[in-house]
Amino acid sequence: AHTRGRAGATPCTAAAPDVRPPTGPGAGGGDARPVYGLEGNADILGVVAEHKYNHGDYSAAYALTSRILAHDPFELSCVPVHCCVLLHLQRKPELFATAHRLVEAYPHSAEAWFAVAVYYTLIGEHESARRFFSKSTSLKQHFVPAWVGFAHAFAAQDESDQAMAAYRSATRLFAGSPLPWLGIGMEYLRTNHLTLAEQYIRQAHTLAPKHPLVLHELGVVHYFKGEYESAAQVLASVARDEAGSAPSATEAREPALVNLGHAYRRLGRYDDAIACYQDALAVCPHSASTFGALAFVYHLDRRMHEAIVHYHQALALRPDDTFTSEMLTRALEEALDTEPLLAVDPQPDGGTSAGGGPGGAAGAAEHAMDMEVTATEEARSSSGAGARTPRGETDARGQG
């Protein structure tokens, strides 16, 4: 999703690439495959690194970009991806050193100031990040990663109008990229404009039908519209690795696992929801919101002992969680009471009833738990400047 730093093939090695047809064993048939000697070509490695990065396999992307820069420390074509990978891997010293080296060597390069902006995004100084993203776009007006990062910086400070203006500039400059469209959709989703959010996210889906982040946000839109079956189907394609994500990219799929659990909970498929939450906790074992969601499903399923244990675990990680505290009190009362306070019956539409209607205790609890589902942005990520996690827990924006 990045523009190339300079045109043409740029090999990492000093020798010119061998573009002759294969002459070795198997060249005449059988398992013969074209071999052109471009294994060390920087542009080809950069494209592969972008693919790995877009699918959450940050370690593999880092290995490829590091290989490119080991041969040529000033290969600008891979700088955007390399900086974004360093952001997601939280490698502050290396990102600082990379940005410092590039600014010293190329003080008038958009890529150099982009690296500086990504560093400030990583340390959470979004105002400074925005200033350097702006400088990068002024040096190279058609540098799309900087435009998307610029928009991320606005979005990180809840300045939706400016963020969407920057995203729209990116859509004009790079109409084939799904990221600007996705960014606009995510801003509309954050402000609860579901119709507009779906319109822009579907446009991104048209451009990248298998992009994990696009699929995730589409699933979130279905969820908020009450289309829980559709939400579960789309989120499962990301969470269960059906969209082409690397097996090692489990951390990138953790938000989809949690939101898939929410969808299964709404459908009354409690065992499936529990399995999703447990898988998510295997990836991020210190997530208070996931422990709370798991406890709530146990509570709905009348498994009070497990619910109480997990409510306590959630409160140990986040003691000021009002919802979890209230539900723990109810679970303790119900564990001692023969007539439960939270009587829940799954409804045909996937909702629940309690106390005789949707306004009962269970309905209110379901609504409170739904507030935990939000758009991710681990793309805003594929641009490189920042990422937002689901369920309202934010970190520096900007897979991105």
Side-chain angles (χ1 to χ4, degrees):
H2 302 289
T3 54
R4 311 312 297 158
R6 51 179 183 262
T10 309
C12 287
T13 56
D18 181 7
V19 295
R20 293 172 298 174
T23 57
D31 191 28
R33 293 186 298 172
V35 178
Y36 298 104
L38 298 177
E39 293 84 356
N41 182 273
D43 286 333
I44 292 176
L45 291 177
V47 170
V48 176
E50 288 178 15
H51 176 80
K52 298 289 186 183
Y53 171 74
N54 288 336
H55 288 78
D57 196 355
Y58 305 127
S59 297
Y62 174 73
L64 290 167
T65 56
S66 297
R67 176 182 170 186
I68 296 171
L69 294 175
H71 288 279
D72 183 359
F74 303 105
E75 176 57 60
L76 297 181
S77 66
C78 78
V79 165
V81 179
H82 186 67
C83 291
C84 297
V85 169
L86 293 176
L87 182 148
H88 281 281
L89 295 178
Q90 300 287 304
R91 295 177 180 253
K92 295 180 185 178
E94 187 173 352
L95 182 54
F96 177 86
T98 299
H100 184 73
R101 183 177 67 248
L102 288 169
V103 169
E104 279 193 333
Y106 301 109
H108 301 294
S109 166
E111 288 82 359
W113 294 107
F114 175 83
V116 174
V118 173
Y119 172 76
Y120 278 109
T121 298
L122 178 56
I123 63 176
E125 295 187 14
H126 299 293
E127 187 68 35
S128 298
R130 191 168 66 190
R131 185 169 67 254
F132 287 114
F133 280 130
S134 178
K135 182 170 184 176
S136 180
T137 59
S138 66
L139 290 170
K140 185 186 288 187
Q141 189 175 4
H142 297 279
F143 188 41
V144 178
W147 277 107
V148 179
F150 190 40
H152 289 351
F154 279 118
Q157 296 178 306
D158 294 330
E159 298 183 26
S160 293
D161 291 341
Q162 294 92 330
M164 286 194 284
Y167 285 130
R168 288 191 177 99
S169 296
T171 62
R172 291 192 297 270
L173 295 171
F174 196 11
S177 173
L179 299 175
W181 298 101
L182 181 61
I184 296 172
M186 292 171 72
E187 284 303 308
Y188 278 126
L189 185 58
R190 187 171 65 85
T191 56
N192 206 33
H193 292 84
L194 296 182
T195 303
L196 289 171
E198 183 175 13
Q199 176 183 338
Y200 283 98
I201 291 173
R202 287 199 178 278
Q203 176 64 28
H205 185 255
T206 301
L207 296 170
K210 293 188 177 181
H211 195 294
L213 182 65
V214 175
L215 291 172
H216 179 274
E217 299 308 314
L218 185 59
V220 171
V221 169
H222 283 305
Y223 184 95
F224 279 124
K225 291 178 68 179
E227 301 167 354
Y228 303 119
E229 286 284 2
S230 298
Q233 182 179 359
V234 175
L235 290 168
S237 69
V238 182
R240 301 306 182 190
D241 199 27
E242 295 173 11
S245 297
S248 62
T250 52
E251 185 173 353
R253 296 198 304 273
E254 186 265 348
L257 284 167
V258 174
N259 289 339
L260 178 60
H262 293 333
Y264 283 147
R265 168 178 55 80
R266 276 298 196 172
L267 292 169
R269 297 168 57 178
Y270 297 142
D271 289 339
D272 290 333
I274 289 169
C276 288
Y277 293 138
Q278 289 174 338
D279 289 345
L281 287 171
V283 179
C284 296
H286 302 295
S287 173
S289 60
T290 306
F291 273 114
L294 179 57
F296 185 60
V297 175
Y298 280 130
H299 196 164
L300 294 174
D301 202 27
R302 311 298 306 146
R303 297 163 65 175
M304 289 304 170
H305 176 71
E306 292 93 335
I308 291 168
V309 168
H310 287 87
Y311 280 138
H312 277 296
Q313 288 179 297
L315 288 171
L317 293 167
R318 190 192 294 168
D320 60 345
D321 189 332
T322 305
F323 171 77
T324 303
S325 298
E326 181 181 349
M327 296 310 299
L328 174 60
T329 301
R330 292 187 180 185
L332 291 169
E333 291 174 347
E334 291 179 34
L336 299 174
D337 200 332
T338 56
E339 194 69 33
L341 300 177
L342 188 62
V344 179
D345 298 314
Q347 298 299 301
D349 64 353
T352 59
S353 68
E366 288 276 10
H367 177 73
M369 181 59 68
D370 284 346
M371 295 302 97
E372 296 289 314
V373 183
T374 69
T376 38
E377 74 219 42
E378 211 178 333
R380 284 186 195 239
S381 282
S382 296
S383 68
R388 179 175 60 199
T389 60
R391 308 180 310 282
E393 297 173 342
T394 58
D395 59 274
R397 267 185 211 240
Q399 177 186 35

